[in-house]
Amino acid sequence: MTRVLAVLIGAFAVWLSAAGTADAAPAKGTSAKEAPTCRVGAYLSDLYDLDPAKNAFSARLTVWSVCPKRELDPLPDVAFTNSSNAEKSEPSVTEEGGMFRDLVRIQGVFRQDWDLRAFPYDRHRITINITSRKTIDKFRFTPDNGDSGANEGIAPDGWKLTGFRLASVEQHFPTNFGDATLTRGKGSTRSRLVIEMDLARDDPTAFWRLTGPLYLMVLLATAAFLLPTHGKELGMAERLDSMQSRLALLGGGLFVVMLNLQQVSQVVTSTVGLTLIDTLHLLTLVYVLLAVVATVLSWRWTVRGGDPVRAERIHHRGAWFGLAGYALVATALVLYAAHLG
């Protein structure tokens, strides 16, 4: 009997130990999920001074929080981590239905990386980052997308706003900022509210204004090879003069393309590879340089007594094939950029 009682007591002790472990494990795993939270929303009232050259944009917005306790309100001490001069109005706290609502107005310049490789078919997602001062075990943002929105009258020059949403993410920092309650060397993780705004270009003439000189130069270079140069009344000197004039035209074309590229660089600045406009300029430079090489070879052919009729036939075919190849490559580049954007 004593032995049976000992076995029962031992089994009961093991059961208590297992139950305690099972209860403790979920508590450890769900502590982050049970962190205090506030519902936070935003209304974008204005978006202006979009400046890819300076990697920045400006915005005015209203941000609010709804918290079960006033001490949970994150807005008085949040950090706008992608702005160095954000101005924030004084908090306006009211109690409504047992919940505490805080409302602040924000205006500032925000840093943003712009990828202009697909210009003018580029689309962008710009963000305003609001980071809590507390670690995620003490506070988390809950986005209020239902009440958030943007002013329908927002119309930045050359752009249109195509999307607006809020998202909550975890941002890890490789430091504990001197907080002795956190493990040293493990860093710290804080909740971040990301206000995301989708933008698309809304200037259909930008592409043609920047590439028009290129296409004009290509047409002129092509036309120079389609002019007749083997007439019986033309002597050697006249044929060489004609080629010299063609070289002068092509040389001027190279200058025009390079000058246009410099002007475009002041409008379209990208630190990430070549833009579509850059690639089209390089394609045009290659086309004109090939035309220069063809003219020099034709010059040498004429000086050495080559058949001018055959030379002109080659010129005509080369001009048409070259123009068709340029058009195909340029169209493919534009379609790829439009898809990439």
Side-chain angles (χ1 to χ4, degrees):
M1 183 68 179
T2 304
R3 183 178 301 176
V4 173
L5 183 61
V7 171
L8 291 175
I9 293 174
F12 183 72
V14 171
W15 178 80
L16 286 178
S17 176
T21 303
D23 291 340
K28 182 178 179 181
T30 59
S31 60
K33 293 183 179 179
E34 297 173 356
T37 183
C38 291
R39 183 163 47 90
V40 181
Y43 175 76
L44 180 67
S45 56
D46 199 6
L47 184 64
Y48 57 100
D49 290 346
L50 277 62
D51 194 346
K54 295 182 180 179
N55 290 323
F57 68 93
S58 299
R60 282 197 294 266
L61 63 156
T62 301
V63 179
W64 63 85
S65 66
V66 180
C67 305
K69 298 180 181 179
R70 182 166 182 173
E71 58 268 23
L72 289 178
D73 182 12
L75 298 186
D77 60 350
V78 292
F80 295 89
T81 46
N82 64 330
S83 176
S84 56
N85 66 344
E87 299 178 0
K88 183 172 62 174
S89 67
E90 292 296 325
S92 176
V93 182
T94 57
E95 183 179 359
E96 303 166 353
M99 303 292 283
F100 294 88
R101 182 172 69 94
D102 189 5
L103 185 146
V104 296
R105 292 177 176 82
I106 300 160
Q107 178 176 349
V109 179
F110 300 89
R111 296 182 295 275
Q112 176 70 37
D113 290 331
W114 300 79
D115 186 353
L116 302 180
R117 286 176 295 176
F119 177 91
Y121 303 103
D122 48 326
R123 298 178 179 87
H124 303 272
R125 175 168 294 174
I126 62 176
T127 62
I128 295 176
N129 300 326
I130 304 177
T131 306
S132 171
R133 303 281 186 181
K134 301 176 183 178
T135 54
I136 57 171
D137 60 327
K138 298 178 181 178
F139 179 80
R140 282 176 177 267
F141 286 108
T142 297
D144 182 8
N145 278 300
D147 292 327
S148 300
N151 178 9
E152 294 181 356
I154 291 177
D157 291 340
W159 298 89
K160 61 180 178 180
L161 185 67
T162 59
F164 182 86
R165 73 190 61 83
L166 277 62
S168 177
V169 300
E170 295 181 4
Q171 180 63 39
H172 182 75
F173 297 90
T175 176
N176 62 5
F177 298 98
D179 189 346
T181 63
L182 300 177
T183 305
R184 297 186 63 182
K186 298 295 185 178
S188 59
T189 303
R190 300 164 195 269
S191 183
R192 170 174 289 179
L193 184 73
V194 182
I195 302 174
E196 301 177 341
M197 296 154 283
D198 293 334
L199 294 171
R201 293 275 180 183
D202 192 28
D203 185 4
T205 65
F207 178 77
W208 299 108
R209 285 189 282 108
L210 296 176
T211 59
L214 304 182
Y215 302 142
L216 180 61
M217 186 59 237
V218 169
L219 291 176
L220 289 176
T222 304
F225 281 86
L226 296 177
L227 295 175
T229 59
H230 76 280
K232 296 180 179 180
E233 69 279 2
L234 296 179
M236 176 69 72
E238 287 81 359
R239 294 194 184 101
L240 295 180
D241 287 342
S242 175
M243 294 180 190
Q244 185 175 2
S245 300
R246 184 189 303 168
L247 282 176
L249 173 65
L250 296 175
L254 290 174
F255 176 77
V256 169
V257 173
M258 293 302 299
L259 182 62
N260 194 68
L261 179 59
Q262 292 180 359
Q263 294 177 346
V264 167
S265 299
Q266 298 175 2
V267 178
V268 187
T269 57
S270 176
T271 58
V272 186
L274 294 174
T275 67
L276 168 64
I277 306 299
D278 293 334
T279 307
L280 289 175
H281 276 78
L282 293 177
L283 176 64
T284 306
L285 285 175
V286 170
Y287 185 88
V288 177
L289 286 174
L290 289 176
V292 170
V293 171
T295 302
V296 172
L297 293 177
S298 179
W299 184 303
R300 292 171 59 86
W301 173 276
T302 302
V303 170
R304 294 180 178 181
D307 183 6
V309 176
R310 183 182 179 187
E312 183 171 312
R313 187 184 305 116
I314 295 175
H315 288 172
H316 289 181
R317 291 178 179 176
W320 288 119
F321 279 113
L323 182 61
Y326 179 92
L328 288 174
V329 174
T331 301
L333 290 173
V334 172
L335 292 177
Y336 177 75
H339 174 73
L340 181 65

